[in-house]
Amino acid sequence: MDDGLADLLHRVVATFGDLARRRIASGPGQLTYTQIRIIGTLEEAPGMTQRELADSVGLSEAAMSRALRALRDEGLVDIVVDPTHARRRLATATAEGLRHFHDSGAAIAGQLREWLIREGFPYDRYLADSQQLADLLGPLNRAAPPRASIVATEGAAEGAVQGAAE
């Protein structure tokens, strides 16, 4: 990858973050960044404990407890007793939670695509390079323990970007 493309990809990542923050702050009914990360993680590894989820997302257990309670109250996450350990609770994203998660990613991905094209970014090359990078890193991700996988937000957004391009 040449330096010019690397610089452009850095700008893309920064812009993607800005778009996500603006979209999240756009009003009620929008998932927060933390909620997006939680639901994305649960999509990758359903049935995580609060501690596992807190470690994966980088929150304290208390903050995760508050976040899960809010997501449960909105019907976006189910929390059930672990059948193997009565004091442990397992969290799983609901179908509605996954729909919200993917809708948020698709909207952000569409805005990102529009920005890339407007800025003259070689969008087809970006998709090809992103796919090549995903293929290269795929074996590394599969080698990681299931609970240590990368949060799905980026992967879902990339899939939405690719879907928007097709």
Side-chain angles (χ1 to χ4, degrees):
M1 186 181 319
D2 62 38
D3 288 341
L5 186 57
D7 179 55
L8 286 172
L9 285 173
H10 175 73
R11 287 179 46 212
V12 167
V13 170
T15 300
F16 182 76
D18 290 342
L19 287 170
R21 281 186 288 282
R22 279 199 304 267
R23 173 120 175 109
I24 288 163
S26 68
Q30 298 294 324
L31 295 175
T32 67
Y33 179 67
T34 299
Q35 289 173 327
I36 288 172
R37 293 179 60 213
I38 291 169
I39 294 172
T41 301
L42 289 174
E43 180 179 45
E44 286 288 307
M48 292 182 84
T49 66
Q50 180 177 308
R51 176 176 287 157
E52 290 170 330
L53 196 51
D55 289 344
S56 289
V57 175
L59 293 176
S60 69
E61 284 191 60
M64 181 56 67
S65 179
R66 287 188 300 273
L68 285 173
R69 194 173 314 117
L71 287 168
R72 183 198 61 212
D73 292 348
E74 293 179 38
L76 304 177
V77 169
D78 283 330
I79 301 171
V80 298
V81 174
D82 184 342
T84 64
H85 192 289
R87 294 189 60 192
R88 193 170 29 212
R89 304 292 180 262
L90 303 177
T92 304
T94 64
E96 182 70 9
L98 293 173
R99 186 186 66 74
H100 276 312
F101 171 73
H102 288 284
D103 287 351
S104 294
I108 292 169
Q111 291 174 344
L112 176 63
R113 181 178 188 275
E114 290 171 14
W115 176 83
L116 288 170
I117 292 169
R118 189 175 52 248
E119 292 295 313
F121 188 82
Y123 188 72
D124 291 333
R125 184 171 171 192
Y126 161 73
L127 289 178
D129 286 348
S130 295
Q131 186 59 54
Q132 185 178 5
L133 181 60
D135 292 344
L136 178 68
L137 296 176
L140 296 175
N141 193 32
R142 283 189 291 279
R147 301 279 191 228
S149 66
I150 297 172
V151 175
T153 306
E154 291 84 8
E158 179 183 315
V161 169
Q162 289 174 343
E166 295 172 356

